[in-house]
Amino acid sequence: MSNTVVVGAQWGDEGKAKITDLLAKNSDLIIRYQGGCNAGHTVVADNKTYKFHLIPSGILYEGKVCFIGAGTVIHPETFEREVNELIEQGIDVKNLKISPLASITMPYHIEVDGYSEDTATKGKIGTTKKGIGPTYTDKAARMGLKIEDLYSPEALSEKLDVILPLKNKTLEKVYGLQPYTKECITALCEKYAQIFKPYVCFDWQELLHSSKKGKNILFEGAQGVMLDVDYGTYPFVTSSNPIGGGACTGSGYGPTMIDEVIGVSKAYVTRVGEGPFVTELKDETGDKIRNIGHEFGTTTGRPRRTGWFDAVIAKYGVLVGGLTSMALTKIDVFDSFDEIKVCVAYKDTRDGKIYNTYPTNVYMHKYLEPVYETHKGWKTDISGIRKYEDLPENCKKYLARLEEIFEIPISIVSVGPDREQTIFKN
Ligand code: GDP
Ligand code: IMO
Ligand code: MG
């Protein structure tokens, strides 16, 4: 038995879904532990491309139980659409389960997210506008609706009597948005109850209990360490905990259940939305990385910002992510590069101070510039290589340097989007 968490080690889109898919093969239970449909996860297998937002990619394997945990926020219509798309592609969803404790993203959450983003003149976050922040806000404020409420009309009615007056006041007075009647929300909830009905796992305690012994559990994170609400580039973050620790609160299992935490890093860095990004390349090299790496958002289609690998955030990610090994993806994107840079420290342009560890106050990041070391490229197509020994020498040197920086082993090297384009190291 081995229980593993997959954590994004950068600002998301590191290729977590590809790694989750690989590990799901040998797992019995796959649990998505946080986030919502802000995530966009792509798996390429058997010449087909599958896109996920909420559903664990483990669903592609027959017989695996896929559980969407209590730490997630679920938009009912997006969930329904995703399930239907999978069914249309011939994927069996009978083993898909949702925690009754997961939070529901309501229409007003999306309206508030959109309003906040569209009207911000300063401090725009660049969210996915999927209502994620407002849903988690209501959860923390004890004003949220959980999936279990949908099946208990009396409790729902009592809850709405408490929530709605304040919610409507806020919608109208703060945001200038339309209020909701209790009848309207009740009708929506009846619809949502039907959407979730085949999947709600009321005996989730039994599921977790029975999986405790002898089963391999895989915990699937969304986003990445640098978007973590506690440890990321706050406030330019998402509203949940993608770090390894989030797997516990989001799944219902305690830390004693976790054996390994695999971080996923790209060979460079990308970010979508606003916020500091010290190694960002706003030049031809950045465009080259974006074009070769197809760096456009799965969820919003936005071009991803691109930059050189940042060892400062990598070391930080290893620490706060609780990582035990790293999967390095998209290294093939550098196949045509003469030189590859790695940022090993930050320099404060005001006083020359060098930062080797991550400075958490992001408001001073505008004064930071990257300190680079340069590595020679390998100028070879590595996408067909399947053994570590067969990688070009310069590529192995680059990987060895990253491993030295991480101070944890690189366990997986990914050389292309396909399931097969993978090198298991050690
Ligand atoms: P996630 O959100 O972390 O799951 O990552 P995304 O799916 O949003 O983005 C990663 C993209 O890179 C997807 O389109 C993957 O198919 C693709 N991908 C994953 N690994 C590799 C790789 O090693 N090389 C290349 N070229 N593409 C990859
Ligand atoms: P996956 O799981 C990349 C970013 C948004 C924005 C910030 C807050 O595919 O790696 P939110 O809508 O969550 O309130 O937006 O977080 N963001 C992501 N960036 N990959 C993701 O998910 C992301 N999910 C949210 O762009 O900057
Ligand atoms: Mg993604």
Side-chain angles (χ1 to χ4, degrees), residues 75-86 88 130:
H75 179 242
E77 285 92 348
T78 305
F79 172 80
E80 185 180 38
R81 209 175 311 127
E82 198 171 329
V83 167
N84 287 339
E85 277 170 17
L86 285 171
E88 277 163 27
K130 303 287 180 191

Side-chain angles (χ1 to χ4, degrees), residues 147-368:
I147 286 186
E148 67 179 1
D149 297 328
L150 303 175
Y151 304 95
S152 173
E154 196 184 331
L156 180 67
S157 171
E158 265 180 49
K159 228 174 173 176
L160 289 179
D161 285 340
V162 177
I163 294 170
L164 264 187
L166 185 59
K167 179 56 66 189
N168 280 335
K169 215 182 238 178
T170 319
L171 287 173
E172 284 184 280
K173 300 255 156 52
V174 178
Y175 297 102
L177 294 167
Q178 289 298 312
Y180 281 83
T181 61
K182 189 175 175 186
E183 291 68 32
C184 170
I185 297 290
T186 307
L188 277 175
C189 287
E190 280 164 10
K191 182 175 132 195
Y192 298 164
Q194 292 309 313
I195 292 176
F196 292 126
K197 202 172 173 192
Y199 310 101
V200 190
C201 183
F202 285 105
D203 60 353
W204 64 272
Q205 295 176 46
E206 178 52 34
L207 171 73
L208 264 59
H209 192 70
S210 63
S211 303
K212 253 184 141 170
K213 290 195 184 83
K215 302 279 189 210
N216 292 323
I217 304 165
L218 183 63
F219 300 87
E220 177 181 33
Q223 290 84 49
V225 168
M226 301 311 291
L227 287 172
D228 186 279
V229 68
D230 290 303
Y231 293 96
T233 44
Y234 190 88
F236 304 97
V237 292
T238 193
S239 301
S240 65
N241 289 113
I243 56 166
C248 296
T249 51
S251 69
Y253 280 121
T256 48
M257 282 294 288
I258 292 168
D259 302 297
E260 274 191 69
V261 185
I262 302 186
V264 187
S265 274
K266 283 187 220 194
Y268 48 90
V269 180
T270 64
R271 161 158 222 177
V272 205
E274 306 301 318
F277 182 175
V278 178
T279 65
E280 183 168 14
L281 294 165
K282 293 180 176 167
D283 58 8
E284 281 175 9
T285 309
D287 292 341
K288 189 174 169 183
I289 293 175
R290 183 177 308 105
N291 290 330
I292 300 177
H294 303 294
E295 296 297 353
F296 297 89
T298 315
T299 300
T300 58
R302 290 179 289 179
R304 295 173 181 154
R305 298 156 67 193
T306 53
W308 291 117
F309 189 86
D310 183 338
V312 181
I313 66 158
K315 285 187 286 188
Y316 182 69
V318 171
L319 179 71
V320 302
L323 312 185
T324 54
S325 76
M326 195 74 89
L328 201 76
T329 63
K330 303 197 99 161
I331 186 148
D332 53 294
V333 171
F334 284 147
D335 282 356
S336 63
F337 280 58
D338 295 318
E339 286 184 337
I340 298 156
K341 290 188 182 178
V342 171
C343 163
V344 289
Y346 299 156
K347 184 177 166 188
D348 193 321
T349 49
R350 293 169 298 181
D351 56 7
K353 184 177 171 183
I354 297 290
Y355 288 90
N356 293 302
T357 53
Y358 180 71
T360 52
N361 186 340
V362 301
Y363 290 95
M364 56 82 79
H365 283 207
K366 58 178 173 286
Y367 300 114
L368 300 177

Side-chain angles (χ1 to χ4, degrees), residues 96-134:
L96 177 62
K97 296 175 191 294
I98 304 182
S99 169
L101 301 182
S103 295
I104 303 172
T105 295
M106 300 297 288
Y108 47 78
H109 293 133
I110 297 173
E111 289 164 26
V112 167
D113 198 1
Y115 177 92
S116 306
E117 281 294 305
D118 294 342
T119 57
T121 46
K122 268 182 167 183
K124 197 173 147 86
I125 309 290
T127 74
T128 57
K129 296 190 188 173
K130 303 287 180 191
I132 305 298

